[in-house]
């Protein structure tokens, strides 16, 4: 017993459908490869993570926390700063994040 039709018109129809389906699969493969290539490129050109962050308050004017770069508690209002800026912020009374403890990492003693 065969699972394919025996006559030529239905075989041609099946061939057309399979060709169309294969083209769609190949397009999806190409799109997936393109997304992967773009993701890899993005990872390669991403700037390095800053060593220190200062998180601004809701008003955008006052610093509320100093973080170690990459701290999971740093908010979206954080910006990367140099070591001396992080030390200066701590000296000026900006709180150290209690999770990442930048004061310990910086060797800052009150």
């Amino acid at each position: 017993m065969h699972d394919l039709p025996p006559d030529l018109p239905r075989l041609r129809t099946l061939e057309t459908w399979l060709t169309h389906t294969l083209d769609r699969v190949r397009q999806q493969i190409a799109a997936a490869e393109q997304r992967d290539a773009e993701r890899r490129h993005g990872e390669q050109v991403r700037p390095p993570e800053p060593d220190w962050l200062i998180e601004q308050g809701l008003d955008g004017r006052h610093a509320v926390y100093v973080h170690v770069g990459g701290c999971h508690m740093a908010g979206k209002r954080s910006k990367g700063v140099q070591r001396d800026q992080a030390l200066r912020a701590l000296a000026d009374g900006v709180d150290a994040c209690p999770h990442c403890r930048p004061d310990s990492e910086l060797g800052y003693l009150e």
Side-chain angles (χ1 to χ4, degrees):
M1 187 151 139
H2 298 281
D3 58 343
L4 295 176
D7 58 300
L8 188 59
R10 287 191 290 173
L11 286 170
R12 291 288 184 203
T13 300
L14 185 57
E15 177 187 37
T16 300
W17 181 82
L18 289 171
T19 302
H20 175 69
T21 302
L22 182 59
D23 288 344
R24 288 181 51 217
V25 168
R26 287 179 175 157
Q27 289 171 0
Q28 290 297 317
I29 288 170
E33 289 173 341
Q34 179 68 27
R35 285 191 304 272
D36 285 348
E38 289 171 357
R39 181 188 48 77
R40 284 191 307 273
H41 176 72
E43 290 171 354
Q44 291 172 351
V45 298
R46 181 177 295 137
E49 192 172 81
D51 292 333
W52 312 103
L53 300 168
I54 293 183
E55 182 175 351
Q56 299 295 316
L58 291 174
D59 64 2
R61 294 186 206 139
H62 300 92
V64 292
Y65 283 114
V66 177
H67 297 275
V68 172
C71 176
H72 67 281
M73 294 301 292
K76 292 183 179 181
R77 296 178 311 274
S78 299
K79 66 175 185 171
V81 295
Q82 300 294 320
R83 177 183 174 84
D84 62 329
Q85 292 172 296
L87 281 167
R88 192 170 334 124
L90 290 171
D92 289 344
V94 177
D95 291 333
C97 171
H99 296 276
C100 63
R101 302 299 309 187
D103 48 350
S104 297
E105 293 284 327
L106 288 163
Y108 176 78
L109 303 173
E110 291 185 46

